[in-house]
Amino acid sequence: MVRSSDDTEKKNLVKKLKDVEISVPIVYGNIAFWLGKKASEYQSHKWTVYVRGATNEDLSVVVKRVVFQLHSSFNNPMRVVESPPFELSESGWGEFEIAITLHFHSDVSEKPLHLYHHLKLYPEDDSGSLSVKKPVVVESYDEVVFSEPSENLFARVQNHPAVIVPRLPSGFSLPSVPAEDADKRRRIDPKDNPLTQWFTNFSEADELLKLAAARQQVQAQIARVRRQLTLIEGQHQQQLKPPSEL
Amino acid sequence: MDAKDILGLPKFPLPTPQEKKSRPQKDSQRKPDGISREVYALTGGVAPLMPSIDVNQLKKRPQPENEKITWEWLSFTNSARKDDLKLYHWVRVVNGTPPTGDYSFAKYNKSVDVIKYTDEEYEKHLTDPTWTKEETDQLFDLCERFDLRFVVIADRFPSPRSVEELKNRYYSVSRAILTARAPSPADVSGHPLVKEPYNMSQEIERKRALSMVLSQTKHQERKDAEILSEAKKIMESRMAAKASFILDLFPALDAELAVTSNASPEGMEKTTAPVETASPSNIQTASGVAPLMSMADNAAAAAASLRTLRVYLRTYALDQMVQAASSSAGLRTIKRVEQFLQELKVNLKPKVPTKAVCAEHLELRKEILTLLNLQKLLQNKEEGSSYREGSYTETPDTPKRGIDQDRTFVPDSVSFGAISTERVAKRDQKRKGPGREAPSSPAQSNKRPRKLKATDS
């Protein structure tokens, strides 16, 4: 699968792994707290918009920085976050669309990736009274897919919990690149971040089950229709018999 | 008087005579000279906005007064004529001296310089197995007489030769003479006869292709256009797939790409050329291949475009693949798929789009599409058969039978023979007595709950 290359080291590092993709599951969204008594007309909520690893892992292994583009009514609407946790807190009253741009390290990708999140401050049901203690949480799950990563990148991230790497075929040798230290990895201890308690746990198991059940249903229906079709075909065959039988 | 009182008009018509006097004055002022009053009124009585041509100039030609012009009936000679025929016409004579110069139309008598060869030259350069000297001489004589109008020459030619053959002979003879007479080959290499020789077979082919294109029916034209656009799409998707790989391959392979990209336009031309000549076999195969390729191609193209991106979101990838898979389906079908998904309680966009979930979702969508297509097929088959089955059971129902008899053309897969045998069978059934049901129909009726059937019980 890997192309034979020249023997220069530089080319080795840049060599792409064909038909291989690595994916980083991320969750992005916002948490908004109503300020209650302290709320003013223009500062009714305190909210935080963020991008995190799906299991609260450290994304800085691939993400260099994140740029949040806020509504033009904010001071300096373009906010850059250079280090994890990639989150931005502000206070305000309005809901608007935030453009989130993920910039990756140079060995990961030259191009940035754009996400869009609609900031939600008020709960879905109108009757729900605003509570100071319970925040409004809206999160979206997605996966960033890097197709045909370089060997270097693959080696660097293959043991990182934030990244999903596929199994490479046996007998495949990667250049030995030191993986990141386990100490440096867990810079962000989940206990440090107070917001962690509100994060949603996205599990694919539920969705997979539903999809599998749905597929079974559809397949059963397909089989039934197919049977009906063959039945009709058979009847057509009967009708084609000459009337001498009658 | 009373009326004027009521209207409130002045009793004494003082202002009116004044008006009358001024009006004719104004009229004559307004009407310019040179245009009649009626014509002026056409423009609405107002002077034209743009300066028109000075009317004075229109009527008279600049006539120099010192000359005396007369017209005389005089004879003239035409230098274009070989005889000395003298004809007569009106001539504008100025001051008594008739005009000089040749007949004004003589300059249009152009002719072609047809080469004349001597017998020796013929023996030396121009002998040809398919042409006798006599024929060649006749050809050249006709060429001279008819100014190389080969259609006329072909018509007049004593022995039956096609236009292309005559042209071929004429041009090759002329070229041979030209090169033979030229002091060196370099002198004549610029001459059009030598530079671009007449290619008879190509000409025949070209004319045949042209006539085929001209005689194409509208139907054929449309099919050709469809096939060409399909071919183009396939080419483009192939190019996109190739381009995505080439982006990071080594420079050595760029040369390869250049070669392939050169080859594919040629390939395109090759496909267009046979299509243009409208050979039926090519069109059949092309149309057969094109639709098959489009389905698989969409998915491949989508995958290729994702790979070129290098970095993308899983949800975006899923969207692309869904679009590719449902590209052949219409908008209504897509809506029905989404409805189906909702009935199955599956999210239209998965909440947790992992690789596995997205793959399952895509497969589910494809399966739903298959199911819908099969259901439609089943419905068509049922409708096709119901027209025949219905009449078996509803013997007293005359209108329906009438419809069936009128349906000489059933757009179904069943052959005509089957229909005629059924009609015979139906007539037999009738004779056996009303109300008798064919054994197979109850099974049918179970499957078609929607169809109203007046079954005789």
Side-chain angles (χ1 to χ4, degrees):
Chain A
M1 264 202 321
V2 178
R3 290 225 148 75
S4 61
S5 63
D6 301 345
D7 266 310
T8 41
E9 276 216 3
K10 212 167 140 196
K11 286 229 170 104
N12 264 337
L13 296 175
V14 167
K15 199 182 351 161
K16 305 267 186 259
L17 296 167
K18 204 172 168 307
D19 293 340
V20 172
E21 67 173 34
I22 62 177
S23 50
V24 180
I26 58 168
V27 175
Y28 59 95
N30 76 273
I31 292 183
F33 287 92
W34 184 48
L35 293 176
K37 282 183 285 187
K38 290 184 239 165
S40 70
E41 200 184 333
Y42 292 112
Q43 313 271 321
S44 63
H45 287 75
K46 188 167 176 348
W47 49 265
T48 309
V49 64
Y50 55 84
V51 182
R52 63 175 174 94
T55 42
N56 296 330
E57 301 296 341
D58 181 13
L59 284 179
S60 59
V61 61
V62 286
V63 176
K64 190 161 69 169
R65 65 174 191 276
V66 180
V67 179
F68 296 93
Q69 183 78 24
L70 304 178
H71 192 264
S72 44
S73 56
F74 280 88
N75 262 343
N76 300 331
M78 191 156 115
R79 307 282 173 93
V80 184
V81 182
E82 299 277 356
S83 65
F86 297 107
E87 58 187 43
L88 176 75
S89 302
E90 261 289 349
S91 49
W93 60 270
E95 302 181 340
F96 55 89
E97 188 172 82
I98 303 177
I100 308 173
T101 314
L102 302 174
H103 293 265
F104 303 101
H105 293 296
S106 43
D107 66 339
V108 177
S109 167
E110 307 289 321
K111 290 185 289 180
L113 193 61
H114 301 281
L115 303 164
Y116 299 93
H117 175 71
H118 185 85
L119 181 73
K120 204 131 188 14
L121 304 177
Y122 299 95
E124 280 291 330
D125 43 344
D126 292 327
S127 61
S129 53
L130 301 171
S131 129
V132 188
K133 297 209 187 93
K134 234 179 102 184
V136 171
V137 183
V138 176
E139 292 190 312
S140 313
Y141 176 98
D142 211 326
E143 294 187 350
V144 184
V145 182
F146 303 100
S147 81
E148 301 187 347
S150 66
E151 277 194 359
N152 192 31
L153 173 65
F154 195 93
R156 184 160 75 86
V157 302
Q158 60 180 332
N159 289 323
H160 196 284
V163 182
I164 300 177
V165 286
R167 285 177 69 89
L168 292 175
S170 54
F172 195 78
S173 60
L174 283 174
S176 53
V177 175
E180 299 183 0
D181 281 341
D183 292 336
K184 275 198 258 171
R185 242 187 271 149
R186 289 272 172 136
R187 259 181 293 150
I188 309 303
D189 202 349
K191 289 201 278 276
D192 291 339
N193 194 342
L195 298 174
T196 321
Q197 55 176 313
W198 303 111
F199 289 163
T200 345
N201 206 1
F202 288 94
S203 107
E204 59 170 355
D206 196 31
E207 196 119 29
L208 273 177
L209 274 175
K210 258 199 256 176
L211 281 172
R215 279 190 74 182
Q216 265 196 352
Q217 264 198 321
V218 174
Q219 279 161 3
Q221 287 197 24
I222 288 180
R224 205 180 66 205
V225 175
R226 283 227 164 97
R227 256 179 289 138
Q228 286 180 337
L229 272 172
T230 45
L231 216 65
I232 290 195
E233 290 288 331
Q235 281 175 344
H236 282 180
Q237 294 297 323
Q238 273 186 14
Q239 285 158 11
L240 288 176
K241 287 207 186 109
S244 59
E245 293 186 358
L246 285 163
Chain B
M1 282 301 156
D2 298 314
K4 280 205 174 156
D5 255 340
I6 296 167
L7 288 173
L9 286 175
K11 288 210 174 125
F12 302 107
L14 273 169
T16 39
Q18 283 173 5
E19 280 179 26
K20 277 193 194 141
K21 272 189 213 153
S22 58
R23 241 185 282 127
Q25 261 184 354
K26 268 201 269 171
D27 261 353
S28 57
Q29 268 174 12
R30 277 188 292 178
K31 181 172 83 74
D33 304 324
I35 308 178
S36 71
R37 186 165 41 96
E38 279 79 20
V39 173
Y40 197 61
L42 278 177
T43 60
V46 188
L49 297 171
M50 292 295 294
S52 57
I53 315 163
D54 191 1
V55 194
N56 298 330
Q57 301 302 321
L58 286 174
K59 301 254 173 158
K60 306 163 204 148
R61 229 209 289 183
Q63 190 85 293
E65 272 90 31
N66 47 1
E67 294 177 357
K68 211 165 61 135
I69 308 291
T70 49
W71 283 87
E72 288 178 20
W73 182 252
L74 296 174
S75 73
F76 67 95
T77 51
N78 186 353
S79 62
R81 293 194 71 93
K82 292 189 189 67
D83 51 17
D84 277 333
L85 180 64
K86 281 189 163 39
L87 295 173
Y88 289 79
H89 63 186
W90 284 106
V91 178
R92 185 172 182 264
V93 176
V94 185
N95 281 347
T97 40
T100 51
D102 196 8
Y103 182 51
S104 57
F105 294 103
K107 60 181 182 281
Y108 298 115
N109 189 39
K110 299 267 186 229
S111 61
V112 185
D113 321 321
V114 171
I115 282 186
K116 290 209 192 327
Y117 50 82
T118 62
D119 290 340
E120 304 142 27
E121 281 178 321
Y122 187 90
E123 295 301 315
K124 255 205 289 190
H125 311 285
L126 305 175
T127 49
D128 188 282
T130 47
W131 282 82
T132 65
K133 184 168 191 311
E134 207 180 72
E135 279 195 309
T136 316
D137 288 347
Q138 280 175 333
L139 169 64
F140 270 76
D141 177 51
L142 284 172
C143 284
E144 173 128 17
R145 276 167 61 196
F146 291 109
D147 300 321
L148 292 189
R149 282 177 289 172
F150 282 101
V151 184
V152 181
I153 294 168
D155 186 56
R156 293 240 171 181
F157 206 71
S159 45
R161 291 264 192 184
S162 74
V163 173
E164 287 86 17
E165 282 179 39
L166 297 172
K167 276 192 184 178
N168 196 22
R169 183 64 178 146
Y170 172 76
Y171 288 125
S172 45
V173 164
S174 308
R175 193 165 58 251
I177 294 283
L178 212 58
T179 36
R181 289 185 189 166
S184 79
D187 287 344
V188 277
S189 57
H191 189 94
L193 266 178
V194 176
K195 234 184 357 177
E196 285 135 24
Y198 181 76
N199 185 340
M200 184 167 94
S201 51
Q202 196 186 52
E203 279 293 297
I204 293 177
E205 199 49 42
R206 178 183 72 86
K207 285 184 184 168
R208 193 175 76 84
L210 199 61
S211 72
M212 297 236 73
V213 172
L214 282 174
S215 56
Q216 260 185 358
T217 59
K218 265 224 174 335
H219 180 63
Q220 194 68 17
E221 255 182 63
R222 262 185 270 127
K223 268 176 53 182
D224 279 349
E226 275 172 29
I227 291 170
L228 279 177
S229 63
E230 284 271 10
K232 218 204 236 178
K233 265 189 267 172
I234 293 170
M235 279 297 148
E236 280 173 2
S237 66
R238 287 217 195 112
M239 290 300 290
K242 282 201 181 98
S244 70
F245 290 145
I246 296 306
L247 275 180
D248 21 71
L249 285 183
F250 301 123
L253 294 170
D254 276 359
E256 254 192 58
L257 174 66
V259 170
T260 48
S261 61
N262 282 336
S264 23
E266 283 168 20
M268 261 290 282
E269 282 162 18
K270 284 208 196 90
T271 52
T272 51
V275 169
E276 272 174 275
T277 56
S279 61
S281 58
N282 274 354
I283 291 179
Q284 297 291 341
T285 48
S287 62
V289 162
L292 283 175
M293 293 193 65
S294 62
M295 267 307 278
D297 240 22
N298 277 328
S305 76
L306 286 173
R307 248 171 292 166
T308 54
L309 280 181
R310 316 229 108 238
V311 183
Y312 52 89
L313 285 169
R314 183 82 65 195
T315 45
Y316 173 77
L318 180 64
D319 275 343
Q320 297 284 48
M321 298 304 284
V322 167
Q323 260 185 29
S326 42
S327 58
S328 57
L331 194 60
R332 220 189 319 158
T333 327
I334 296 176
K335 286 253 177 327
R336 284 170 68 194
V337 171
E338 296 187 347
Q339 232 179 356
F340 213 97
L341 283 171
Q342 279 172 341
E343 285 170 17
L344 290 168
K345 301 232 176 26
V346 170
N347 301 315
L348 285 177
K349 286 186 188 274
K351 279 270 176 308
V352 190
T354 62
K355 191 167 182 173
V357 167
C358 287
E360 285 283 307
H361 189 97
L362 193 64
E363 288 305 309
L364 179 61
R365 274 191 187 245
K366 284 192 204 161
E367 281 172 3
I368 294 177
L369 264 175
T370 319
L371 177 63
L372 290 176
N373 285 339
L374 281 176
Q375 279 178 341
K376 211 194 296 190
L377 194 61
L378 182 66
Q379 204 178 33
N380 287 344
K381 293 243 165 185
E382 281 186 341
E383 274 173 16
S385 61
S386 75
Y387 279 116
R388 278 170 275 127
E389 288 296 322
S391 44
Y392 275 177
T393 50
E394 287 148 70
T395 34
D397 192 352
T398 333
K400 207 158 185 195
R401 208 182 301 125
I403 294 170
D404 191 51
Q405 277 169 352
D406 285 341
R407 284 183 73 83
T408 49
F409 163 61
V410 176
D412 217 53
S413 50
V414 186
S415 63
F416 281 115
I419 296 171
S420 53
T421 52
E422 280 154 22
R423 284 224 202 92
V424 171
K426 183 190 67 181
R427 266 183 251 125
D428 283 343
Q429 284 258 331
K430 226 173 44 170
R431 263 188 273 123
K432 285 187 185 144
R436 189 195 146 150
E437 294 192 354
S440 58
S441 51
Q444 284 278 340
S445 59
N446 289 340
K447 286 199 191 116
R448 286 173 290 129
R450 285 186 283 157
K451 295 241 179 346
L452 300 167
K453 289 181 62 182
T455 51
D456 309 28
S457 50

